[in-house]
Amino acid sequence: MHLSRTAVFLPTLALVLVTTADAQTRIEPHDNKYSVAQDVQIGQEAAQQVKREYPLLNDGVSERLLDRIGQRLVQSVPQEFRQPAFRYSFDVVNMREINAFALPGGPMFVNRGMIQASDTEAEVAGVMAHELAHVVLRHGTVQASKAQKFQIGAIAGQILGAIVGGNAGAVIAQGSEFGLGAYFLKYSREFEREADILGAQIMARAGYDPRAMATMFDKIARQGGSGAPEWLSSHPNPGNRSAAIRKEAELLAAPTYAGNTTEFRSVKSRLASLPTAPTAQQVAQARKSGQPIPGTGDTGGSVGTSGRTVRVEPPSSQWRTYQPNDAVRISVPANWNQIGGNGVVLYAPEGGYFQTQGGSAFTHGVEVGVMDARGQSLEAATEALIQSFTQSNPDLRRSADYSRANVGGRAGVQTTLTNMSAITGQREFVRLATTMLSDGSTLFVIGVSPQNERSAYQRIFNRVIQGLTINDR
């Protein structure tokens, strides 16, 4: 089941370094012709291109690790550099090279090879903090400001090609309107130094030891052969990089957080158990020839395109209760995770939830949300809800009439639908139940499973729907 997201042209400022003798390095602005809104627009456009060209791992275990680290770092960005409009996301790319890059406005991509080359969570955090610093210092659009002012879409392609770097970056850059990005948008040594310093400061504010960043960069520099560090092609050493980071670390707070060692080791073990990740060259050749990407077949719900095999654990016999907002409490199998909060909330097992080019999708689980359908009958509101779902699920069909339902002890309606999964390419069983809230809006619960697993999940969906606790008065 697939879940479905005009720049203002204003001059703004980015940043430069000013060193003081008695405190951490201070940062001052650079000129930037682009607005914060344009950073977001450019980054979102470029991120969609990355997702079309690169094989995302789509592995919930690895993504949760990156998301936890990323959110901790974002929350530790100094107040003067925070941008509420930025849209941060953290994805794992199933490629062997040691590489990571971030796009204007927040999207960040970390190669599986980068995670596997690291020995601690703090080393991963060091690379991510460096990339985050490029984002909050707005280096991509600062460098675009120095060149001729192109169309936003063209700039997106150029920034993308430049930031990725190396052969893989060239594959994407060739699809953009101009081919100059790799020339004038690779990060300068000045910007690399700024990102090293601010990244170290962000790490310290998050509790990590900034020296782990220097350790990881030393490790990257020592790599060679088939695992050559693509990261270095777009992140040149500004000179004495490790020494400068360690010197800055001496000015910062002592580390207080070592990360979640158990989770980190679990992710490393999981990645090691998957088929070997393809190289950038293999990805480029496969894209050019229209062939499947090597090593991205059946990986237990990870890499690939639609038609992949998805494996998830059966619903646990133990149940867990969540309260995503003040109005609803919901109980689901204990091995299902909450994704999102407040508004529409999803509960899905490991490997049953995926980020896609158009948003997100899930193959197993339940989603709970509210639709504003005041003035309509419950059945009419439910029909309108189904029509809204068909916009991102064109194969969704109602396969049964409406019937009465117990939705959290309230009178409701329910129906059964079928859909063709955007993830597996197989038929899905979909159960939808709705009830009216006191303000006239419609609460809905939608459960999804593969059609061949219907008998196991139908009972689960019924228990979830009937066990809701609704407090809307």
Side-chain angles (χ1 to χ4, degrees):
M1 186 81 178
H2 192 268
L3 313 174
S4 305
R5 310 190 208 313
T6 4
V8 180
F9 289 74
L10 297 174
T12 56
L13 297 175
L15 313 158
V16 88
L17 295 176
V18 174
T19 305
T20 62
D22 56 350
Q24 66 185 41
T25 306
R26 187 163 52 88
I27 300 180
E28 300 288 352
H30 290 290
D31 289 337
N32 191 331
K33 297 177 183 177
Y34 294 87
S35 69
V36 169
Q38 286 175 294
D39 272 46
V40 174
Q41 180 186 355
I42 290 168
Q44 292 301 309
E45 290 179 6
Q48 290 307 310
Q49 194 174 0
V50 171
K51 292 175 181 179
R52 287 192 295 270
E53 299 288 346
Y54 275 17
L56 298 189
L57 190 63
N58 290 321
D59 174 67
V61 176
S62 306
E63 288 172 349
R64 271 203 306 279
L65 172 69
L66 283 198
D67 188 67
R68 177 175 59 77
I69 296 172
Q71 294 301 334
R72 187 180 184 94
L73 294 172
V74 168
Q75 292 168 10
S76 303
V77 171
Q79 187 65 41
E80 62 268 31
F81 303 135
R82 294 187 179 184
Q83 297 289 353
F86 279 5
R87 293 167 60 179
Y88 294 102
S89 58
F90 309 94
D91 288 288
V92 184
V93 178
N94 190 43
M95 285 182 19
R96 193 181 311 171
E97 282 78 11
I98 298 174
N99 199 11
F101 60 94
L103 299 170
M108 186 182 299
F109 298 85
V110 178
N111 273 19
R112 172 181 163 187
M114 179 70 80
I115 300 173
Q116 291 186 279
S118 62
D119 290 317
T120 66
E121 178 179 314
E123 289 183 355
V124 176
V127 174
M128 294 177 68
H130 176 99
E131 299 298 338
L132 177 61
H134 280 307
V135 172
V136 300
L137 300 181
R138 306 185 58 222
H139 282 159
T141 48
V142 169
Q143 291 192 138
S145 298
K146 297 178 180 180
Q148 180 181 351
K149 190 171 183 180
F150 296 125
Q151 294 287 330
I152 283 290
I155 289 292
Q158 293 181 67
I159 288 178
L160 176 57
I163 293 176
V164 176
N167 294 333
V171 174
I172 300 176
Q174 287 168 3
S176 64
E177 186 175 344
F178 298 90
L180 300 176
Y183 174 74
F184 65 78
L185 285 178
K186 281 190 178 180
Y187 288 138
S188 67
R189 284 174 170 76
E190 175 190 7
F191 285 179
E192 284 304 301
R193 179 171 175 260
E194 291 178 0
D196 286 350
I197 296 303
L198 183 59
Q201 294 173 5
I202 292 171
M203 284 188 75
R205 290 168 63 96
Y208 291 108
D209 186 346
R211 292 172 296 183
M213 179 193 292
T215 301
M216 188 62 186
F217 290 171
D218 287 342
K219 188 178 300 182
I220 291 171
R222 289 193 299 268
Q223 295 295 320
S226 61
E230 289 288 335
W231 190 84
L232 290 177
S233 68
S234 52
H235 296 75
N237 191 328
N240 301 315
R241 164 172 264 157
S242 295
I245 293 170
R246 289 186 170 92
K247 182 177 180 181
E248 187 71 17
E250 294 175 0
L251 306 174
L252 304 173
T256 59
Y257 180 67
N260 186 328
T261 303
T262 300
E263 181 186 21
F264 178 75
R265 288 176 177 170
S266 175
V267 169
K268 291 267 289 184
S269 176
R270 176 168 175 77
L271 294 180
S273 72
L274 298 178
T276 302
T279 65
Q281 184 176 11
Q282 288 175 322
V283 171
Q285 290 175 342
R287 294 293 189 202
K288 185 176 181 180
S289 63
Q291 298 299 312
I293 298 172
T296 60
D298 178 7
T299 59
S302 56
V303 183
T305 55
S306 53
R308 73 177 66 138
T309 299
V310 173
R311 298 196 193 100
V312 301
E313 292 183 1
S316 171
S317 60
Q318 303 297 314
W319 285 59
R320 179 185 302 169
T321 299
Y322 293 90
Q323 185 157 1
N325 53 50
D326 293 337
V328 174
R329 278 192 301 161
I330 182 171
S331 295
V332 297
N335 59 341
W336 290 13
N337 303 306
Q338 177 175 305
I339 302 164
N342 288 317
V344 176
V345 188
L346 173 67
Y347 297 90
E350 200 67 63
Y353 171 78
F354 301 85
Q355 290 293 336
T356 69
Q357 294 178 16
S360 57
F362 66 111
T363 59
H364 302 68
V366 296
E367 184 184 65
V368 184
V370 176
M371 176 184 179
D372 187 355
R374 280 168 280 199
Q376 294 181 304
S377 68
L378 182 57
E379 190 168 307
T382 306
E383 191 66 31
L385 181 65
I386 293 173
Q387 292 305 310
S388 72
F389 286 144
T390 61
Q391 294 178 18
S392 53
N393 299 271
D395 295 310
L396 186 68
R397 300 287 186 273
R398 187 155 60 87
S399 59
D401 292 334
Y402 291 110
S403 61
R404 294 180 181 178
N406 170 4
V407 182
R410 298 189 180 192
V413 299
Q414 64 183 357
T415 189
T416 299
L417 306 99
T418 63
N419 186 44
M420 192 66 72
S421 172
I423 299 298
T424 66
Q426 302 298 313
R427 185 65 61 184
E428 291 180 315
F429 163 65
V430 182
R431 168 59 59 83
L432 173 65
T434 61
T435 190
M436 197 80 77
L437 298 179
S438 59
D439 64 357
S441 58
T442 301
L443 173 74
F444 67 87
V445 183
I446 186 165
V448 177
S449 78
Q451 182 67 39
N452 61 5
E453 299 179 47
R454 171 175 178 163
S455 58
Y457 280 85
Q458 183 167 263
R459 176 180 56 81
I460 298 294
F461 297 155
N462 288 340
R463 179 171 171 179
V464 171
I465 292 166
Q466 294 172 14
L468 283 175
T469 299
I470 305 171
N471 180 21
D472 60 333
R473 297 185 174 88

